[in-house]
Amino acid sequence: METLLELVEELSFTRVGGSDKERAAAEIILREINLAGREAGESNICGEFMPFHIPSANVKKCSVMAQEREIPSAPYLCSGNIDRECKLLYLDDALEIDFAEIGDLSDTAVLLNNLVEEDVFKRLIEHHVAAFLVLQGKYYYSAGEASLYSRRLRSHFARNGKIPGFIISAADAMALVKQEVESIHLVLEQEEVERDSQNILSVIEGTQKKEEEIVLTAHYDSVPLGTGSWDNATGAAALLGIYRYFVANPPKRTLRFLWCGSEEMGLLGSKAYVEQNENTLERIKFCFNFDMCGTALGANRIIITGNKELETFVDHYCKLSGYSARTKQGVHSSDSAPFCDKGIPALGLGRGTGTAEIHTIHDLIPTISNKALQRNVDFAVHMIEDMANAAILPIKREMPEERKKELDKYFHRDTEKKDEEKTEKAKMEV
């Protein structure tokens, strides 16, 4: 590759987790990994595929009919099947109070503004809702502009049960509500399957402290529309740029480079890696993650998942380096999170902008600048090199209690803990 932007361009095609296109993107990355090794005279350093299975579905039919008109829709995969006429009920955000006077909804489809919280899905289950619809986009978007695409019913919802789900545009949802449409006919026919996805791994062994490792991650898959240029061909290309430097300049500590598959389906690649390699995680002392880099307009961002010491370190390092970046503490909703969940502190490096959109048809190449992407890579190389060559790692391998609680919430264990507490309380009262 001549420039990082050229690699972003090569990776800019729809590459959904578990698809042939995702595999094609993985082949491009593997090619570049092996090429970098040969060019550095280190042909023994190469990449490998690490396969894993992901849940998915083959959709045979998906239809939303209202007032003798078919409304454009996309299904929730692995959510179940339906073919029936249903009453229609709009329930805003489906808060607890919205269900106060409502009984059984087994003949009703519920229209929602969004579906993010597990408690909302539990209420739908408890009231035996026949189906749910979630709106997407702005009221002035056409169905195409609203970027409707199928998404999988997440496992923390499905553990409560399954309800057939659909996504429709905000414009169509608004029409249904304003026209007081009372019934709709819903069809969803799908067969649940497993598909093959893969991570790509390459390890550069440390020259002195090889037993201490730093993992560097970026996902290379995309959602089912647009070209996923910003999210996350840029991160995958940035990680390759960093890899090319270190394969020619190996540091004291071992660097573990991981391009993750199926991130957009719920961090499935990084979760699979952590599960498959739990016995080696103790060697990993730190994680750098690259997600959405290199926009022409915008600001550099660093998401810090660790203790106050790490936050101070980042602040000082940016000042010493003259690197302008907005920083914040919290869980990065990306492939560093499963590593953080194992007590490994992390930095998420990227570049944000209000002029582009991810997960839409508008995530395209024109928003990306080679100069901005190279600047992100240069800063990352300097920081990684300083850490990987430090006499002593400047950051402890630990996770503060506040971050642990955030991770519990992010991975939906807080709901499990609440349910366990309720169960224990009920047992005590018997």
Side-chain angles (χ1 to χ4, degrees), residues 3 10 54 151 218 281 297 340 348 383 388 395 399:
T3 67
E10 190 174 3
I54 63 170
R151 56 197 68 190
L281 292 180
L297 301 175
C340 295
M383 179 181 270
I395 304 301
M399 196 61 56

Side-chain angles (χ1 to χ4, degrees), residues 97 119 136 153 273 331:
I97 195 168
D119 283 347
Q136 182 166 310
L153 186 69
Y273 181 85
V331 177

Side-chain angles (χ1 to χ4, degrees), residues 75-310:
Y76 271 83
L77 305 179
C78 306
S79 67
N81 296 300
I82 189 172
D83 184 352
R84 61 177 292 190
E85 191 84 11
C86 297
K87 296 177 183 177
L88 181 63
L89 177 64
Y90 175 51
L91 275 184
D92 298 346
D93 283 342
L95 302 176
E96 186 176 7
I97 195 168
D98 293 320
F99 289 89
E101 303 298 325
I102 295 176
D104 183 86
L105 295 174
S106 56
D107 61 352
T108 303
V110 171
L111 174 62
L112 305 169
N113 294 330
N114 55 59
L115 182 58
V116 178
E117 298 175 3
E118 185 177 356
D119 283 347
V120 170
F121 193 76
K122 281 184 174 182
R123 291 181 197 119
L124 302 183
I125 291 287
E126 289 166 1
H127 289 268
H128 310 292
V129 168
F132 67 89
L133 300 94
V134 176
L135 62 90
Q136 182 166 310
K138 308 294 185 182
Y139 79 91
Y140 47 85
Y141 284 176
S142 67
E145 291 170 331
S147 298
L148 305 178
Y149 64 89
S150 59
R151 56 197 68 190
R152 183 174 60 88
L153 186 69
R154 294 296 170 90
S155 56
H156 63 284
F157 289 152
R159 67 189 177 190
N160 299 287
K162 293 186 178 182
I163 305 172
F166 302 79
I167 303 109
I168 63 173
S169 73
D172 284 321
M174 186 170 66
L176 290 172
V177 172
K178 291 183 73 171
Q179 293 170 19
E180 299 184 0
V181 173
E182 295 182 350
S183 67
I184 55 175
H185 191 100
L186 300 174
V187 178
L188 180 53
E189 185 180 344
Q190 59 180 324
E191 178 187 10
E192 293 190 23
V193 296
E194 273 195 342
R195 302 197 194 282
D196 295 325
S197 185
Q198 57 280 312
N199 296 321
I200 310 126
L201 176 71
S202 186
V203 179
I204 300 174
E205 194 171 82
T207 58
Q208 295 180 26
K209 300 174 180 286
K210 61 182 68 178
E211 73 285 351
E212 291 187 356
E213 298 186 359
I214 296 171
V215 67
L216 301 97
T217 57
H219 77 90
Y220 67 94
D221 64 310
S222 76
V223 297
L225 42 76
T227 62
S229 301
W230 182 25
D231 183 17
N232 185 38
T234 57
L239 193 56
L240 277 164
I242 296 163
Y243 179 81
R244 288 177 70 88
Y245 176 83
F246 283 109
V247 78
N249 302 277
K252 294 178 181 177
R253 288 177 177 81
T254 296
L255 299 181
R256 188 169 289 268
F257 287 80
L258 184 68
W259 287 263
C260 300
S262 301
E263 187 266 2
E264 298 291 5
M265 303 179 80
L267 313 184
L268 298 187
S270 49
K271 285 179 179 178
Y273 181 85
V274 167
E275 290 169 4
Q276 292 169 354
N277 299 274
E278 194 160 1
N279 59 331
T280 65
L281 292 180
E282 277 302 316
R283 297 203 298 266
I284 299 175
K285 308 302 179 184
F286 201 82
C287 174
F288 286 92
N289 184 64
F290 301 88
D291 204 343
M292 299 161 56
C293 308
T295 51
L297 301 175
N300 301 318
R301 293 177 180 172
I302 302 176
I303 299 176
I304 302 160
T305 313
N307 56 25
K308 184 67 178 176
E309 185 182 24
L310 178 56

